[in-house]
Amino acid sequence: MTQIKRYVKNAYLIVFSIVFFCGVVTSLALYHEEKQHLMLDENIATEQFITRLKDALAQYGREVAGVAIMIQSMDEPLTNPIFQRASRQLEATEKNNTLRVYFAKYVPHSQRDTYVTQQQGLAGLSAFQITPSEIRKEYLPLTYGYPFFTNPGFDLLSDTYSNRDVIQQIRSYQGFEMSELPTFSSEGVKQKTRSFALRRSIYIPLDNIKNRVTDEFGFYGIVGIIFEVNGLVRQLNVPGIRGVAYRIADITEGSQPPVWFADSRTDININAEHISHWEKGHFNTTDIYYGGRNWRVDTRNSSDLLGLIDWTLILGALILFTLLALLLSWYVRLLSNAYNQTLLLANEKIEIDGLTGLYSRYKIQKELDELIKTCELNANKLVVFFLDLDHFKAINDAFGHETGDKLLVKVAQRLKSVLPDKAIIGRLGGDEFLVLMVLDDKKACVFLERLCREVILQISQSYFVEGGTLNIGCSIGAALYPDYGQDAETLIKNADMAMYEAKSAGRATYYFYDGAMGARISRNMRIETRLRYALQNSLLELHFQPKVDLNTKECVGMEALLRWEDSELGTVSPMEFIPIAEQSGIILMLGEWVFEQTFKHLVIWKEQGVQVPPIAINCSAAQLKRPNFLSHLLSLLDKYQIDPSLLEIEVTESILIEDAKGCAELLRQVSKLGIKLAIDDFGTGYSSLSYLKDLPFHYVKIDQVFIRDFMEDSDHDALTRAIINLSHELNLKVIAEGITRVDQMERLREYGCDIGQGYLFSKALGANSMASDPMIVALNEKQGDSDSFGG
Ligand code: C2E
Ligand code: MG
Ligand code: MG
């Protein structure tokens, strides 16, 4: 059931995780899709780029072929005007105006002079010569040029021309060739520029030679187009396609590394930085073969992939899913809360307690509501008992919850048998019970007290559970209607508070709520807070009250007593704050402080040369029960180098009632160290001297309530004498607390009481007034005497 509840409680986390996870997966898928898409785009762009490049080259090819065919198909020799006109048409097709066209004419040696003379006749070429001026069988001089003419007359068949072999090839196979072009500078020096030439040989059909000069196969000359790389690449940028970065190298000669002549990142020189930039990322490589040359083309996306990705969709999806996850988990949380609430309500509305068969918490509260209504009508009184078992947790811890449950069942049965029939009984949960009773008779209060005593008595009779005997006590708090509460809630709260008082008073008792109780509880809470503060800020003090030998009147011991002067609460008596410290657990820290402080004082007195008798420290049950009590004590003795015989420990008899066996061993060890033990406030508890005989006590302290009036109260007188006599029989010395009058002291001495303590002798002294106290002075003088006698 709790498992299901936990799942329901955490369902919103699960829903959030699932939906958010879906969001992450969707975003990743979108990212992947987008990346694929971009890579596809890149491939398409590359393809388009390559197609464009090929188209551009083919266009140059078509143009050179166009000029060649035009020259071939003429019926007369080519003249400059015709060449210029044909070339000008190219200009129309070439958008970038970077084309240059030339015609090199085949000239056999026999025609050389005629040719030169003819050329010299052309406008501006009067100094025309075939260069270099070698004598050969045939020549191929640059004859016409468009739009301008560089190097007229330069002979492409000359030995000095580096492309001569290419020219011969073109001539022999009649195709067209492209080559890395050396421009014809005025110095005739070959320079590599970023331009190419595409050449084509012109053959005149042999049957149509007419008056033209060709070789025997009809070779008439070569037409060439020079195009610049810049002009070429300007045609390649494809609008509408995501930018393609590219670089182009001519690798015909197999040069390694390739000579890059175009790069989309620059239109001037390609340097090492451009090259290393390419080496970093991935790119596609395509080889293009055209006009006898082999080009390598590298392409890739012009910008980084991450930069190209459309993040809006991807992040949008993630945000959308996150919002959805938040919304859904919020909704599921609402639902699960509602579900748990329903479960809770369903649980709460159960009328019978499953374990004991008594009314449930829900039902008994409902009953109380009803009873209040009828009592109001009939002007009746009503009592609410809040009953809580004492130390039930200890039974659970020692024997397990199953045994605890069985005990609860038996307690419930006993409760039913001891309470009158008209009592309505319910279990609030745990070991808490609520009893309601309408009171119709006037002597109700006397009857109620008797009933409480009877209930406590009956409940604390032994139980037989699982073959063993168990004992448990109970504390009762009572609140009366209408005097101390007009509604169920207040009545239960006040009865609870009274029960708390009963517990504080030492358990196994009952309390009736009165108006002052609330104020008392709130004062206790204040004391608790202030006490913590006082302890942390060292605002407490130890005072020391002498104990006097009744025969010799010598001071034989001192009791360390806490003193606290609070700035807000004023002087608070240990009678008031020690029980609060015990209930709240502060006593542990407080006890340690008292021990340490006592040791410090002992050291100081020793340094001052003041002899002090043994100091008795009061020790609470909780302190003694600490597992490290003994080791802590030993470490303090060691730290301050204190003789253990200077210490005494006072414990109240209630410790022995609670856990005689457990304490016995510890007390024995403490006693072995040489520390004397006293049993404090003797006579107030359910004391039986019998268990004292097995324990290592040295002193019994008769509680001051007996001493106060033993001379007037014969019972107390008898008790005082009995305690003195019995203690002596057990070899214990007796200390009487609270002696205020001389006659008390005298009578006690007659009874044989050994030691007295009380205002008659001295109040507790501050640590600093110790040295000047007459009793201590006397002690020191006596000690000095014996020392001087001895020494
Ligand atoms: P106690 O151990 O029985 O201490 C004796 C109490 O009687 C002291 O009260 C003391 O001042 C008081 N007293 C002494 N002579 C007379 C007298 O002639 N007449 C009257 N009426 N009272 C006298 P105090 O100091 O108020 O302490 C009350 C209790 O608080 C102590 O009772 C002791 O149980 C507890 N207590 C005090 N200091 C400590 C401490 O350091 N640790 C622990 N655990 N308890 C302490
Ligand atoms: Mg004491
Ligand atoms: Mg005492």
Side-chain angles (χ1 to χ4, degrees):
M1 192 65 178
T2 44
Q3 194 74 3
I4 295 175
K5 259 182 163 169
R6 200 170 311 131
Y7 281 135
V8 171
K9 200 175 154 210
N10 291 328
Y12 76 102
L13 281 179
I14 299 169
V15 167
F16 180 86
S17 307
I18 291 174
V19 180
F20 184 73
F21 179 73
C22 288
V24 171
V25 169
T26 309
S27 295
L28 282 177
L30 283 172
Y31 171 77
H32 184 73
E33 173 79 28
E34 176 77 359
K35 215 168 103 174
Q36 289 297 102
H37 188 70
L38 281 173
M39 271 157 54
L40 204 70
D41 265 11
E42 186 182 293
N43 289 342
I44 291 171
T46 296
E47 258 173 47
Q48 291 192 351
F49 177 81
I50 298 291
T51 310
R52 283 241 158 185
L53 182 58
K54 283 182 178 166
D55 282 355
L57 289 174
Q59 180 62 25
Y60 291 135
R62 276 194 297 279
E63 275 159 8
V64 80
V67 178
I69 288 165
M70 190 272 294
I71 296 170
Q72 254 165 16
S73 55
M74 284 186 344
D75 285 339
E76 48 185 313
L78 179 65
T79 59
N80 195 33
I82 296 174
F83 177 76
Q84 298 291 329
R85 210 180 313 130
S87 298
R88 211 171 295 127
Q89 277 168 11
L90 292 184
E91 207 170 54
T93 57
E94 221 273 344
K95 306 133 208 130
N96 300 304
N97 284 338
T98 56
L99 283 188
R100 277 185 289 139
V101 194
Y102 68 81
F103 174 66
K105 186 174 161 63
Y106 171 76
V107 180
H109 187 66
S110 56
Q111 289 289 317
R112 179 181 172 132
D113 293 341
T114 324
Y115 168 75
V116 170
T117 319
Q118 212 174 357
Q119 285 298 101
Q120 284 173 347
L122 289 180
L125 291 183
S126 54
F128 185 88
Q129 284 298 330
I130 292 179
T131 54
S133 56
E134 307 154 339
I135 303 297
R136 272 201 317 279
K137 213 173 107 214
E138 46 190 12
Y139 309 92
L140 197 59
L142 292 175
T143 307
Y144 306 125
Y146 178 86
F148 54 90
F149 208 8
T150 46
N151 260 349
F154 182 81
D155 181 8
L156 301 187
L157 292 181
S158 148
D159 290 340
T160 54
Y161 181 42
S162 63
N163 278 339
R164 206 180 77 121
D165 293 346
V166 180
I167 300 293
Q168 287 291 16
Q169 263 174 43
I170 298 166
R171 176 176 172 183
S172 55
Y173 78 64
Q174 304 190 15
F176 54 84
E177 249 335 302
M178 178 168 69
S179 68
E180 216 172 338
L181 184 81
T183 48
F184 310 109
S185 71
S186 50
E187 299 89 54
V189 177
K190 195 177 83 177
Q191 280 182 345
K192 282 198 172 171
T193 64
R194 302 198 310 147
S195 53
F196 288 85
L198 195 59
R199 307 183 185 86
R200 193 187 171 103
S201 52
I202 302 169
Y203 279 85
I204 310 290
L206 290 175
D207 53 358
N208 192 29
I209 299 283
K210 305 244 170 99
N211 52 348
R212 285 175 284 193
V213 179
T214 69
D215 70 0
E216 69 236 64
F217 303 106
F219 177 64
Y220 184 57
I222 278 182
V223 65
I225 283 184
I226 299 167
F227 61 88
E228 282 181 18
V229 171
N230 283 351
L232 172 70
V233 299
R234 235 170 274 146
Q235 302 174 55
L236 303 178
N237 291 327
V238 188
I241 300 179
R242 247 197 272 263
V244 174
Y246 61 84
R247 61 174 182 175
I248 312 170
D250 188 303
I251 53 167
T252 317
E253 272 82 41
S255 61
Q256 266 306 330
V259 180
W260 301 103
F261 61 80
D263 190 312
S264 51
R265 277 160 56 93
T266 176
D267 46 10
I268 358 167
N269 284 330
I270 294 156
N271 56 31
E273 190 259 312
H274 296 125
I275 291 171
S276 74
H277 171 79
W278 274 89
E279 307 306 332
K280 272 180 225 153
H282 97 103
F283 51 81
N284 298 324
T285 295
T286 316
D287 280 359
I288 294 180
Y289 188 79
Y290 191 77
R293 298 214 69 84
N294 204 359
W295 285 0
R296 171 178 152 184
V297 186
D298 289 348
T299 51
R300 69 161 172 232
N301 258 315
S302 57
S303 35
D304 196 16
L305 205 63
L306 288 183
L308 291 173
I309 284 176
D310 183 1
W311 290 104
T312 43
L313 196 66
I314 296 165
L315 293 181
L318 193 62
I319 291 167
L320 204 75
F321 271 93
T322 310
L323 287 177
L324 193 69
L326 283 172
L327 200 76
L328 281 179
S329 57
W330 172 72
Y331 184 65
V332 168
R333 188 149 196 191
L334 283 187
L335 284 184
S336 62
N337 278 353
Y339 174 79
N340 279 341
Q341 205 64 38
T342 323
L343 271 189
L344 215 66
L345 281 179
N347 266 349
E348 274 182 356
K349 289 208 171 140
I350 289 171
E351 299 208 326
I352 298 299
D353 173 44
L355 182 68
T356 58
L358 301 175
Y359 278 160
S360 69
R361 177 187 203 96
Y362 163 75
K363 175 73 173 167
I364 192 104
Q365 281 174 341
K366 227 168 82 171
E367 286 292 314
L368 182 54
D369 284 333
E370 294 301 316
L371 279 187
I372 289 171
K373 276 180 209 154
T374 47
C375 284
E376 196 178 3
L377 283 179
N378 306 333
N380 274 341
K381 283 191 181 246
L382 165 72
V383 67
V384 175
F385 288 123
F386 198 113
L387 195 145
D388 188 290
L389 300 183
D390 296 338
H391 302 300
F392 178 68
K393 187 176 171 293
I395 291 201
N396 261 341
D397 291 347
F399 302 99
H401 283 258
E402 233 169 273
T403 307
D405 281 355
K406 284 185 181 149
L407 180 64
L408 283 177
V409 175
K410 300 230 166 183
V411 168
Q413 284 165 357
R414 214 170 270 180
L415 209 50
K416 265 197 270 190
S417 69
V418 66
L419 287 166
D421 290 342
K422 62 177 179 175
I424 301 171
I425 317 171
R427 185 164 81 110
L428 294 178
D431 61 345
E432 292 174 350
F433 298 87
L434 206 67
V435 179
L436 317 175
M437 246 174 2
V438 177
L439 310 171
D440 30 27
D441 108 55
K442 294 279 170 271
K443 291 176 287 172
C445 278
V446 185
F447 158 74
L448 285 180
E449 292 204 31
R450 215 183 316 124
L451 182 65
C452 283
R453 280 198 293 272
E454 185 62 20
V455 169
I456 292 170
L457 187 73
Q458 289 302 320
I459 294 290
S460 42
Q461 301 297 311
S462 296
Y463 296 84
F464 296 95
V465 180
E466 293 186 325
T469 351
L470 288 178
N471 287 300
I472 194 138
C474 79
S475 305
I476 302 174
L480 283 174
Y481 167 89
D483 313 51
Y484 296 112
Q486 264 94 53
D487 59 87
E489 198 186 329
T490 314
L491 281 167
I492 293 174
K493 193 189 83 200
N494 289 344
D496 187 9
M497 230 185 258
M499 190 276 294
Y500 177 82
E501 284 280 297
K503 292 251 177 201
S504 305
R507 299 187 161 86
T509 187
Y510 60 90
Y511 259 75
F512 277 74
Y513 180 85
D514 61 56
M517 211 168 263
R520 218 159 36 236
I521 286 173
S522 79
R523 174 168 168 89
N524 286 357
M525 282 160 77
R526 240 173 104 59
I527 287 178
E528 186 182 327
T529 322
R530 296 297 299 169
L531 185 59
R532 279 183 207 281
Y533 175 80
L535 192 57
Q536 275 157 13
N537 295 283
S538 308
L539 300 175
L540 293 157
E541 260 184 56
L542 273 189
H543 283 202
F544 302 88
Q545 187 178 35
K547 297 177 194 171
V548 175
D549 184 310
L550 291 185
N551 293 308
T552 65
K553 303 283 162 28
E554 272 172 24
C555 176
V556 290
M558 299 264 206
E559 182 177 7
L561 294 165
L562 274 165
R563 292 292 174 262
W564 175 28
E565 179 83 36
D566 184 69
S567 59
E568 291 178 12
L569 298 167
T571 306
V572 188
S573 157
M575 298 282 231
E576 196 175 10
F577 71 77
I578 290 289
I580 295 169
E582 282 173 337
Q583 277 156 28
S584 58
I586 303 178
I587 193 68
L588 297 177
M589 272 194 300
L590 193 61
E592 275 185 18
W593 184 86
V594 169
F595 265 91
E596 183 116 28
Q597 203 62 20
T598 307
F599 281 66
K600 281 183 183 168
H601 283 312
L602 281 171
V603 170
I604 293 173
W605 290 324
K606 200 171 158 189
E607 283 168 4
Q608 292 172 344
V610 181
Q611 290 276 337
V612 290
I615 308 287
I617 296 175
N618 289 287
C619 205
S620 293
Q623 273 174 278
L624 278 186
K625 282 184 193 155
R626 275 196 132 174
N628 66 350
F629 178 81
L630 195 65
S631 58
H632 185 65
L633 183 60
L634 284 170
S635 71
L636 282 176
L637 283 169
D638 189 50
K639 181 175 168 191
Y640 292 98
Q641 287 297 306
I642 297 298
D643 178 1
S645 68
L646 271 182
L647 279 188
E648 289 173 5
I649 289 178
E650 294 187 7
V651 296
T652 53
E653 56 177 341
S654 59
I655 293 181
L656 307 174
I657 298 165
E658 276 172 31
D659 186 15
K661 269 191 199 145
C663 281
E665 186 49 38
L666 176 74
L667 293 176
R668 229 165 261 138
Q669 283 172 327
V670 173
S671 169
K672 265 189 207 158
L673 293 175
I675 297 175
K676 292 204 169 112
L677 301 171
I679 186 147
D680 205 352
D681 301 343
F682 196 79
T684 50
Y686 306 84
S687 311
S688 116
L689 276 170
S690 65
Y691 55 84
L692 278 181
K693 71 179 193 301
D694 302 325
L695 291 166
F697 282 104
H698 302 86
Y699 302 105
V700 170
K701 293 185 85 173
I702 307 174
D703 196 273
Q704 46 182 298
V705 290
F706 305 112
I707 304 303
R708 192 182 300 146
D709 60 359
F710 79 102
M711 292 189 65
E712 295 80 33
D713 182 323
S714 57
D715 280 356
H716 283 176
D717 182 68
L719 238 147
T720 305
R721 271 184 293 154
I723 293 173
I724 295 172
N725 292 334
L726 266 163
S727 300
H728 283 162
E729 266 172 41
L730 291 167
N731 265 332
L732 300 166
K733 286 197 169 183
V734 182
I735 303 171
E737 295 184 307
I739 304 177
T740 46
R741 302 190 324 248
V742 179
D743 60 340
Q744 289 172 335
M745 177 192 71
E746 292 300 337
R747 179 72 62 83
L748 284 164
R749 200 178 45 182
E750 278 165 29
Y751 288 165
C753 180
D754 305 280
I755 297 164
Q757 185 182 351
Y759 295 163
L760 175 67
F761 308 107
S762 172
K763 285 203 168 189
L765 308 166
N768 293 334
S769 38
M770 202 69 121
S772 57
D773 185 72
M775 240 179 291
I776 302 296
V777 171
L779 187 75
N780 276 272
E781 278 168 1
K782 191 192 162 216
Q783 195 70 35
D785 290 351
S786 69
D787 280 357
S788 56
F789 286 134

